[in-house]
Amino acid sequence: MTASDGLTRLAESYLDLRWHLDPVDGSGAGAASHDDRLGTFDDESVRQHVAALRALMHAVEEFDAPSLDDEIDRTALLYQVRLDVQRYGTERPQARDPGFWVGHALEGLYQLLTVRDRPEATRARAVAARLRAMPRLFDAARETLRECPAVLVEAAQDVTDAGVALVAEVVQAFAGADGHDGGPAGAAARDALTGFRGHLAGLLREGSDGHPAAVGEVTLNFRLQCQHAVPATAPELLRYGVRLVQDVERELTMLTERLAPGRAWPDVMDALRDAHPDPDDLVRAYEAEMARARAFVRERDLVAVPEGALEVDATPGYLRPVIPLAAYLPPGPLSADRTGRFFVSLPAGNPANRAAVLRDHCTHEIPTTALHEGYPGHHLHFLALQAQPRIVRRFLTTPLTVEGWALYCQEMMGAEGFYRSVEERFFQQVALLWRALRVVLDVGLHTGTLDIADAMRLVQDRMHFSRDHALAEVRRTAAEPAYQLAYAVGRRELFALREAYRARRGEAYTPRGFHDAVLAFGALPVSLIRWGLELDG
């Protein structure tokens, strides 16, 4: 079923506005007409964008939806527009987070390096245009940034260092291509990055430590309402996170009694991490587990499996600072290439660092990661949502459903018999503990009950992460309010939805029926999926 013409026009207007401000997002979606631009996030451009969003918001509010499906999609669109107004007008990451600018520029280059559904000459011209735009982008960043928290400045410095390598890689990749004149533009882009790196050092010297990373409880609650559409507030979610941490730690203790009676679970986890593939076999190990997960889903008929390849490869060197372990990149909704990409960060650096990275790729942990990122997790989910005929369900997502679905799948697959050993079940629980702790971390940091040092200690004490791993976790949480809590909260919402669906269906219930019904809504908030399945009564 497609959306009504009026709703489709409103959604298209929203995407036009979104991609005008952020053409890199448009390129990522597969809209090639945006490939040769970078965004304009200076104060005046953002002011005009927010004004246009407010006008669109009124039009969406007044739209008279002719069907339940249209009303659900109208609500999702309205939430998204309100969220964008809040993000750019009130939270203003463009004014407080240098990583916002660096990430935008580097993502814009990386997309053109890897995309496969544009001719090389077209990509070469677009790369050159984006390289030429980088000095202007970072000039605007200097004028716009103010009161930046130190944790965000330091994170941006590390990514900027990696960006210099990416610029060199892009220039080399397109050297000699028709339409490419990126040599001088590449040098200017590199100089812009290194100059911006110096500006960031100046921000730290000027006292960024005095600017808090917290966005505040009011803002966090707004995101819970409009980004995730959950009725809970920050204090309730904090209590939920604390309880879930305690519950999972008890489960880990019980599993430890089966593996090594009398020992503490962190010690057993540390010992089990000695089992890992050799570096040369690491990519193949993930490929094998993703293939096994896909076959398991098909054999058990757990959910429809869309067509679309999933490639596993080593993380490029210039992405290592932002992908310390692994990451999945989906195809864009408009892209003709339906290939998803899963990157695995191979050991690098000195012997101690290489050994630490290998331990993070524990043999017993790979199955959980493979199904989370591949089947039936992110890759399957993105292919399913991008096949939806309704524009809102194809383009608009919430991390509550995206990340919640993947975490739900880890537990669901275990109940279906996917894990082959107690050790694999143990690491599935370790993964759940990590996401439970993120609720505490996210709420604590952004309501100001945890400072950066407290957050670091919490992650190291409860998850036993290295300092570098803990720092990456805290930085990510500080930069993305209300994202990290979405994993565990989304899992909770999906399990509650499944129980309501099972009760309604009775003996006709099947896992396949439930999963297909959920994915028919793309990645809209779970509360809207519940509404669409008419499970509110």
Side-chain angles (χ1 to χ4, degrees):
M1 177 186 294
T2 57
S4 67
D5 291 343
L7 183 61
T8 297
R9 285 193 295 270
L10 287 171
E12 289 172 345
S13 295
Y14 167 72
L15 292 174
D16 285 344
L17 280 175
R18 174 167 159 172
W19 295 340
H20 176 76
L21 180 73
D22 187 350
V24 171
D25 185 70
S27 289
S33 60
H34 297 278
D35 285 352
D36 60 352
R37 295 192 301 117
L38 292 177
T40 50
F41 302 104
D42 59 275
D43 289 340
E44 178 58 22
S45 296
V46 170
R47 186 195 65 77
Q48 292 178 17
H49 180 69
V50 170
L53 284 173
R54 290 186 186 279
L56 177 62
M57 181 171 64
H58 293 316
V60 177
E61 288 172 339
E62 294 173 1
F63 177 73
D64 187 12
S67 68
L68 175 60
D69 277 313
D70 274 356
E71 180 59 22
I72 289 167
D73 290 4
R74 184 197 73 88
T75 302
L77 179 59
L78 180 60
Y79 284 163
Q80 182 65 57
V81 176
R82 286 176 177 170
L83 178 65
D84 284 4
V85 169
Q86 165 76 14
R87 181 170 185 248
Y88 288 110
T90 301
E91 295 177 29
R92 307 190 73 237
Q94 72 276 10
R96 69 189 299 268
D97 182 6
F100 172 91
W101 299 82
V102 180
H104 177 80
L106 299 188
E107 184 181 351
L109 296 180
Y110 176 73
Q111 288 169 347
L112 298 171
L113 185 65
T114 59
V115 73
R116 298 177 184 176
D117 62 352
R118 278 87 139 174
E120 183 183 48
T122 301
R123 291 188 293 132
R125 286 191 292 270
V127 160
R130 281 186 171 170
L131 288 171
R132 287 193 296 270
M134 284 176 62
R136 293 192 302 275
L137 180 81
F138 289 115
D139 285 345
R142 290 185 182 89
E143 294 296 321
T144 306
L145 288 165
R146 57 187 73 92
E147 298 184 355
C148 305
V151 65
L152 301 183
V153 177
E154 291 164 354
Q157 285 182 315
D158 288 348
V159 179
T160 302
D161 292 341
V164 174
L166 175 57
V167 168
E169 180 80 11
V170 167
V171 171
Q172 181 180 7
F174 289 99
D178 290 342
H180 184 60
D181 59 351
R190 181 197 61 217
D191 291 345
L193 277 168
T194 55
F196 190 62
R197 178 67 161 77
H199 180 72
L200 297 181
L203 291 179
L204 290 176
R205 288 193 299 270
E206 291 168 8
S208 290
D209 283 338
H211 304 308
V215 297
E217 187 171 333
V218 171
T219 293
L220 196 63
N221 284 337
F222 184 93
R223 278 188 169 264
L224 293 176
Q225 177 187 356
C226 284
Q227 184 176 22
H228 303 321
V230 295
T233 59
E236 189 273 325
L237 290 187
L238 180 59
R239 292 191 294 271
Y240 165 68
V242 170
R243 288 196 305 271
L244 185 58
V245 167
Q246 295 168 344
D247 291 344
V248 178
E249 286 182 330
R250 280 194 293 270
E251 181 65 20
L252 282 168
T253 299
M254 292 172 60
L255 290 170
T256 298
E257 283 300 304
R258 296 175 61 186
L259 292 167
R263 298 186 66 185
W265 74 260
D267 295 334
V268 171
M269 177 180 69
D270 185 64
L272 289 174
R273 288 197 184 279
D274 287 335
H276 51 71
D278 292 333
D280 292 342
D281 294 330
L282 203 52
V283 169
R284 285 191 293 272
Y286 278 97
E287 284 177 330
E289 282 303 307
M290 287 184 168
R292 185 172 78 88
R294 187 176 189 271
F296 187 91
V297 169
R298 283 187 176 276
E299 290 165 3
R300 299 299 178 98
D301 196 27
L302 295 175
V303 62
V305 179
E307 292 301 319
L310 176 58
E311 294 184 354
V312 183
D313 205 350
T315 305
Y318 48 81
L319 288 179
R320 285 292 302 273
V322 293
I323 306 178
L325 182 61
Y328 168 73
L329 298 180
L334 297 175
S335 175
D337 178 17
R338 307 312 300 145
T339 303
R341 293 173 179 83
F342 178 70
F343 290 129
V344 181
S345 294
L346 304 183
N350 61 49
N353 287 339
R354 291 172 61 87
V357 170
L358 272 179
R359 286 171 59 80
D360 282 336
H361 293 291
C362 171
T363 299
H364 309 299
E365 199 166 9
I366 290 175
T368 301
T369 303
L371 75 88
H372 183 106
E373 305 291 350
Y375 300 94
H378 289 324
H379 183 58
L380 185 150
H381 193 185
F382 273 98
L383 291 178
L385 75 88
Q386 290 175 1
Q388 298 305 315
R390 301 181 66 89
I391 185 171
V392 167
R393 300 180 193 188
R394 194 161 66 249
F395 285 94
L396 302 190
T397 67
T398 169
L400 183 91
T401 305
V402 171
E403 303 296 356
W405 168 262
L407 191 59
Y408 160 85
C409 286
Q410 291 179 194
E411 198 159 333
M412 179 272 292
M413 289 280 277
E416 293 289 336
F418 179 72
Y419 301 118
R420 296 162 295 193
S421 65
V422 178
E423 288 85 354
E424 290 183 2
R425 290 288 308 191
F426 178 91
F427 275 102
Q428 181 259 319
Q429 289 295 304
V430 170
L432 179 55
L433 178 63
W434 179 16
R435 276 56 175 220
L437 194 66
R438 280 177 165 175
V439 179
V440 180
L441 195 66
D442 202 343
V443 176
L445 265 178
H446 287 295
T447 59
T449 57
L450 289 176
D451 61 21
I452 299 300
D454 293 332
M456 287 285 293
R457 282 192 295 271
L458 178 66
V459 176
Q460 289 179 283
D461 291 348
R462 302 303 283 266
M463 283 305 304
H464 304 272
F465 284 170
S466 68
R467 185 186 183 281
D468 286 348
H469 195 167
L471 180 58
E473 188 76 11
V474 171
R475 284 175 170 178
R476 185 181 177 194
T477 305
E480 300 178 276
Y483 192 104
Q484 305 308 320
L485 61 81
Y487 294 76
V489 177
R491 164 190 169 273
R492 179 181 75 167
E493 298 297 304
L494 282 166
F495 273 115
L497 181 68
R498 188 177 74 175
E499 290 312 302
Y501 183 88
R502 189 199 302 268
R504 175 68 60 87
R505 296 290 292 167
E507 293 184 0
Y509 169 84
T510 65
R512 166 75 181 263
F514 172 66
H515 297 146
D516 287 352
V518 168
L519 296 188
F521 291 87
L524 298 188
V526 177
S527 60
L528 299 188
I529 299 174
R530 178 184 288 269
W531 184 13
L533 295 176
E534 299 182 345
L535 296 174
D536 286 319

